[in-house]
Amino acid sequence: MTVAPATVLGLPVGLDPRTPVVIGVGEWSERLGDPAYAALSPVALAARAVEQALADAAPGAGAGARALRRAVDVVADIPQFEVSTPDAVAPLGRSDNVPRSVATRTGLRPRHVLTDVAGGQGPQHLVTELAASIARGDCEVAVACGAEALSTMRHLLSRPAAERPSWSEAVGGQHEGRGHGLEGLVDFDDSGQIDAPRLYALLERARQRRLAQAGMDDPDYGASMGELFAPFTRVAAHHPHAALRETLSAADLLTVTPRNRMVAEPYPKLLVARDLVNQGAAVIVASIERAASLGVPQDRWVYLHGHCDTVERPLLERPDLDAYPAGVAAVRSALEVAGTGLDEVRHLDLYSCFPVAVSSVCDGIGLAPDDPRGLTLTGGLPYFGGPGNDYTMHAIAEAVRRLRCAPGDFALTTGNGGVLSKYSVGLWSTTPRAWRPGESGAVQRRLDAAPTVPHRAPGQHTALTPGAGIRDGLETWTITHAKDGAREATLVVRDADGVRSMHRTSDPAVLADLAELTDLTD
């Protein structure tokens, strides 16, 4: 491939014409009860978001818009919850080729489509991958998209079966499906896969223990979680696509009420990612050469200055259960690749499915929880909404819009998958910057070389002994509360040899013992 010099093309001097830039972003959402509510399927939501991104890059319906649609050669999507695990169910049906379903609805004719693996790291990782593909010359214009309609799905399932629509589509055609990609994302015990709230609650309790040893008592820790997330609600209250547009105080978030029931101690519902949403988002990436030829103004271009993708150790192997070395290393590496310090970043969006997902990264990079810049661009997953694996696509869209209004600023977007398991980071600016491939491989090798904790596989540990034995080797614990009032304890303990194991039990004696613990330093 012969590459013309940038000066000939009227592009930023010194840049390879294949340098990737974001040229369009779009979002679409709807809420039950809204006047325009249309009960859209996930595919329809994603298609509406793509239409918005196309219009953002090439306003109007003229020759430029038609040329842009013809230029798209790759469409990639983030998997919906209903295809994210082997046993997932799509009660209303699903498309057999989501990216081609989206492409058909939007008049795109891509030569290649793909569906990435599951995990909240996906959107940032996917956009970074598409940018790298463009920089190599493998494609020129790529669309990344995703959507969830879990709120609508639950609403429609309340109808008689005969009145429910079908979301099934038989599209066929080329499709690169990358599988579930669950390795390192999910954890198991004797009962099978463990749900995210209880696992994150274990990490939160571990952090609580560490801070308690430094002098912070339980009430102070609870207040700190509310104070961390209350500002998020203020951002969500003013975002047009947020699921919960209501400003709440720290006390509102912590007080257990019928609306805010306890889910997994210390998490009431309002501190947990909100998955009952109807939201879609899309990002269009192009080479600067193609963007210029399509007439996209350069003041619309946003460059990926730095990026990094990392993977954390399995949960029970981690030396410190509340730390996130992989996430911290990813942020630091992205900043280094960009040649930018954290103090120079004006806009921040830290993935916020649970409080510890934010605080573990803040602890590691030295970012205060009350930093005046704020820690979210959208309002975060509990308030803006957590559309399955696709949240960070919305954060990128918001970052792009803000940067266009403040040329030269930097924005940091992050995606987290699993239980602090995979982290993807992007550092963005309108300032022209040559593409750099990043240092993810070298960072990962350093992470993999760190020491680990020995642990027992499910079924290999000894039974818990209620009473004083509960405290022996106890590292962290939580009690989950079902809607029907049933409670279950999950504990992580180490035996006399330092080997770690995880236990789940509904034994009343164990529950009573844990209820007596005022903090984890006892």
Side-chain angles (χ1 to χ4, degrees):
M1 176 179 177
T2 301
V3 179
T7 52
V8 174
L9 299 168
L11 303 177
V13 176
L15 291 190
D16 187 322
R18 294 172 299 192
T19 301
V21 286
V22 170
I23 61 170
V25 295
E27 295 177 89
W28 195 270
S29 63
E30 58 178 7
R31 300 191 298 174
L32 272 66
D34 284 352
Y37 176 67
L40 298 175
S41 70
V43 166
L45 283 167
R48 295 283 183 97
V50 171
E51 287 286 0
Q52 293 294 308
L54 291 166
D56 181 58
R66 292 192 295 272
L68 174 58
R69 290 175 196 266
R70 290 194 300 269
V72 173
D73 44 13
V74 175
V75 174
D77 86 298
I78 297 298
Q80 299 146 23
F81 268 162
E82 60 199 42
V83 297
S84 290
T85 59
D87 57 352
V89 176
L92 298 177
R94 62 194 183 200
S95 169
D96 64 350
N97 190 334
V98 170
R100 288 211 178 274
S101 287
V102 172
T104 298
R105 280 172 165 79
T106 53
L108 306 180
R109 297 293 183 267
R111 59 174 175 78
H112 185 78
V113 303
L114 67 92
T115 298
D116 205 1
V117 298
Q121 80 289 341
Q124 181 61 60
H125 174 272
L126 183 59
V127 172
T128 299
E129 178 186 338
L130 295 174
S133 179
I134 288 169
R136 291 192 305 267
D138 296 339
C139 65
E140 292 186 315
V141 183
V143 172
C145 64
E148 286 286 359
L150 291 175
S151 176
T152 287
M153 179 183 292
R154 187 174 73 167
H155 170 65
L156 295 177
L157 289 175
S158 68
R159 299 179 179 178
E163 298 178 11
R164 299 172 189 168
S166 172
W167 289 350
S168 295
E169 295 183 24
V171 180
Q174 178 275 330
H175 179 215
E176 179 191 342
R178 295 181 170 177
H180 299 110
L182 300 180
E183 298 80 6
L185 283 184
V186 296
D187 288 272
F188 299 85
D189 68 357
D190 297 342
S191 304
Q193 184 177 334
I194 310 175
D195 58 276
R198 81 174 70 217
L199 289 171
Y200 273 94
L202 291 174
L203 306 186
E204 196 77 60
R205 284 287 196 189
R207 183 171 186 268
Q208 179 182 7
R209 179 185 187 185
R210 173 172 60 79
L211 294 178
Q213 292 171 336
M216 177 183 283
D217 61 19
D218 280 1
D220 288 342
Y221 191 85
S224 73
M225 292 190 299
E227 291 164 359
L228 174 69
F229 270 3
F232 286 52
T233 72
R234 293 195 288 273
V235 176
H238 295 93
H239 198 295
H241 295 289
L244 181 64
R245 302 172 199 168
E246 180 180 356
T247 298
L248 300 171
S249 68
D252 293 331
L253 302 181
L254 295 169
T255 303
V256 176
T257 65
R259 175 197 184 191
N260 191 31
R261 69 178 183 86
M262 183 59 69
V263 176
E265 300 176 14
Y267 292 148
K269 185 178 179 181
L270 285 173
L271 294 182
V272 174
R274 183 186 185 98
D275 59 4
L276 287 176
V277 299
N278 305 311
Q279 295 171 328
V283 174
I284 303 176
V285 188
S287 68
I288 58 174
E289 179 179 32
R290 200 71 173 99
S293 72
L294 290 167
V296 182
Q298 292 191 27
D299 61 6
R300 310 288 290 169
W301 300 358
V302 176
Y303 296 77
L304 185 56
H305 280 232
H307 54 91
C308 188
D309 296 277
T310 55
V311 180
E312 190 57 83
R313 295 284 189 176
L315 179 63
L316 293 183
E317 293 184 12
R318 303 173 191 175
D320 300 303
L321 291 175
D322 69 308
Y324 199 176
V328 172
V331 173
R332 288 176 174 167
S333 178
L335 290 167
E336 290 173 2
V337 168
T340 303
L342 184 61
D343 290 344
E344 299 175 70
V345 179
R346 176 64 185 86
H347 312 278
L348 300 163
D349 193 89
L350 299 185
Y351 198 91
S352 54
C353 49
F354 300 89
V356 74
V358 177
S359 58
S360 61
V361 175
C362 287
D363 291 347
I365 63 176
L367 186 63
D370 60 351
D371 189 287
R373 293 169 290 186
L375 304 180
T376 181
L377 301 180
T378 66
L381 282 81
Y383 320 110
F384 171 84
N389 302 306
D390 196 50
Y391 164 79
T392 303
M393 200 78 76
H394 294 271
I396 295 171
E398 182 63 28
V400 167
R401 286 192 290 263
R402 294 197 186 196
L403 292 172
R404 287 169 173 169
C405 294
D409 277 4
F410 287 93
L412 183 78
T413 55
T414 66
N416 167 68
V419 186
L420 303 187
S421 304
K422 295 183 179 181
Y423 214 64
S424 295
V425 180
L427 192 69
W428 307 89
S429 179
T430 57
T431 302
R433 174 66 185 268
W435 168 257
R436 294 188 63 185
E439 299 292 337
S440 296
V443 173
Q444 191 63 53
R445 286 189 291 274
R446 291 194 293 271
L447 291 167
D448 293 343
T452 60
V453 174
H455 65 95
R456 301 190 191 283
Q460 295 181 355
H461 52 69
T462 58
L464 290 169
T465 303
I470 287 295
R471 300 169 188 254
D472 294 339
L474 178 63
E475 288 192 270
T476 185
W477 59 274
T478 185
I479 297 175
T480 54
H481 297 245
K483 291 181 180 179
D484 63 3
R487 298 186 304 150
E488 183 178 57
T490 305
L491 307 86
V492 176
V493 300
R494 289 210 208 187
D495 62 22
D497 296 325
V499 180
R500 185 184 274 155
S501 58
M502 183 183 294
H503 304 256
R504 286 172 66 181
T505 179
S506 297
D507 185 335
V510 174
L511 291 167
D513 288 340
L514 292 175
E516 292 179 1
L517 292 178
T518 56
D519 63 57
L520 295 179
T521 61
D522 290 349

